[in-house]
Amino acid sequence: METLLHNIKVIDDRIAKACLEANRKREDVKLLLATKTVSPDRIKIALNAGYTLIAENKIQELKDKYEALSNTHHINHFIGHLQSNKIKELLCCDVQCLHSLDRIELAEKLNQRLAQENKILNVLIQVNTSGEESKFGIAPEGAIELIREVANLKHLQIKGLMTIGIFSSEAEKVRKCFQLLRSIKDEVVGLSIPNVSMEELSMGMSNDLEIAIAEGATIIRVGTAIFGERIYADSYYWNENSKVI
Ligand SMILES: *Cc1c(COP(=O)(O)O)cnc(C)c1O
């Protein structure tokens, strides 16, 4: 238990230092806890310490934990790949923001269901800035068109962009991914598309959060550095070809 709180403190310090170095306000960067594979009991330790922004990657895990955490105060985001046959379940779990909207077919189905339920959902457009085939996300060249299309869907509210940086020990390669996301954001802002806000840039994780903050991240998503190593490889969550076990 103490380790977990200590780890959060370390991350908090890293965020504060990165903000200072980037000349940004600490309150402009939100820490989102990536809680995949983490038990509700351990999540509660973080919630009780005041870290209430959490996110899952898989609908089944979201559902299980939504029940287990039903009597706690927290805000749910969803950061995993979403299949359109899981939309109903996503909406049942009171998810406040979907970080992984990456195709118009999904957007249209979401919009349809949201209309039936008379709800509005905040979404971020996920962009594949690393060019790795295994990553989800719209290609950078297609991002603006997708944003224009999604902007027409009344029950979706675009709040910004999300990306997963390249896995590389070379900081400059990682930085290029985040710079690309930011440049797309700037382009979108310049277009003043109705119904589109670009207030959030969701980028940066355990290993690259400093670079992301330097490049303008407003939400960083941290799992491993707080909760420890996971038993599944990341490809289980990010690779389009990997099968659900
Ligand atoms: C798991 C996950 C994270 C957190 O990654 P860590 O390296 O464990 O900090 C961030 N974003 C997404 C989309 C994730 O699935």
Side-chain angles (χ1 to χ4, degrees), residues 40 43-44 47-48 54 65-66 68-75:
I43 297 173
K44 279 181 193 168
L47 297 180
N48 288 335
I54 61 177
K65 290 181 203 173
Y66 183 69
L69 298 174
S70 60
N71 55 0
T72 66
H73 167 66
H74 63 275
I75 300 162

Side-chain angles (χ1 to χ4, degrees), residues 32-75:
L32 178 153
L33 306 180
T35 50
K36 55 181 178 269
T37 76
V38 181
S39 71
D41 282 348
R42 296 185 72 217
I43 297 173
K44 279 181 193 168
I45 296 172
L47 297 180
N48 288 335
Y51 297 88
T52 52
L53 182 57
I54 61 177
E56 290 294 335
N57 286 66
K58 299 270 181 195
I59 293 291
Q60 189 56 50
E61 236 182 298
L62 170 70
K63 278 172 63 182
D64 293 345
K65 290 181 203 173
Y66 183 69
E67 280 201 8
L69 298 174
S70 60
N71 55 0
T72 66
H73 167 66
H74 63 275
I75 300 162

Side-chain angles (χ1 to χ4, degrees), residues 215-234:
E215 298 303 332
T218 63
I219 304 175
I220 57 162
R221 311 176 306 265
V222 180
T224 311
I226 291 173
F227 300 109
E229 295 290 336
R230 292 177 292 269
I231 51 167
Y232 298 125
D234 282 335

Side-chain angles (χ1 to χ4, degrees), residues 34 36 57 79-80 126 162-164 167 204-207 221-225 228 230 234 237-238:
K36 55 181 178 269
N57 286 66
I79 56 178
Q126 181 174 358
M162 181 275 230
T163 200
I164 300 173
F167 290 113
M205 317 194 310
S206 292
N207 292 325
R221 311 176 306 265
V222 180
T224 311
R230 292 177 292 269
D234 282 335
Y237 290 97
W238 294 331

Side-chain angles (χ1 to χ4, degrees), residues 123-175:
V123 296
L124 307 181
I125 302 298
Q126 181 174 358
V127 182
N128 180 349
T129 55
S130 66
E132 292 167 287
E133 265 180 41
S134 62
K135 296 258 176 70
F136 294 111
I138 179 103
E141 313 81 67
I144 305 264
E145 192 190 338
L146 177 60
I147 289 167
R148 285 193 189 281
E149 290 172 335
V150 174
N152 291 325
L153 303 174
K154 296 282 170 282
H155 295 267
L156 294 175
Q157 178 64 59
I158 299 179
K159 289 287 185 187
L161 307 174
M162 181 275 230
T163 200
I164 300 173
I166 194 168
F167 290 113
S168 169
S169 53
E170 292 173 56
E172 288 319 300
K173 285 191 180 164
V174 181
R175 187 180 303 278

Side-chain angles (χ1 to χ4, degrees), residues 47-109:
L47 297 180
N48 288 335
Y51 297 88
T52 52
L53 182 57
I54 61 177
E56 290 294 335
N57 286 66
K58 299 270 181 195
I59 293 291
Q60 189 56 50
E61 236 182 298
L62 170 70
K63 278 172 63 182
D64 293 345
K65 290 181 203 173
Y66 183 69
E67 280 201 8
L69 298 174
S70 60
N71 55 0
T72 66
H73 167 66
H74 63 275
I75 300 162
N76 261 331
H77 284 193
F78 193 78
I79 56 178
H81 180 67
L82 181 63
Q83 290 165 313
S84 41
N85 61 359
K86 299 281 164 65
I87 287 173
K88 237 165 106 173
E89 294 161 280
L90 177 92
L91 299 182
C92 283
C93 292
D94 199 20
V95 167
Q96 307 276 309
C97 181
L98 171 69
H99 287 226
S100 51
L101 187 59
D102 61 358
R103 55 202 194 280
I104 189 63
E105 297 77 20
L106 176 65
E108 282 169 348
K109 286 186 179 145

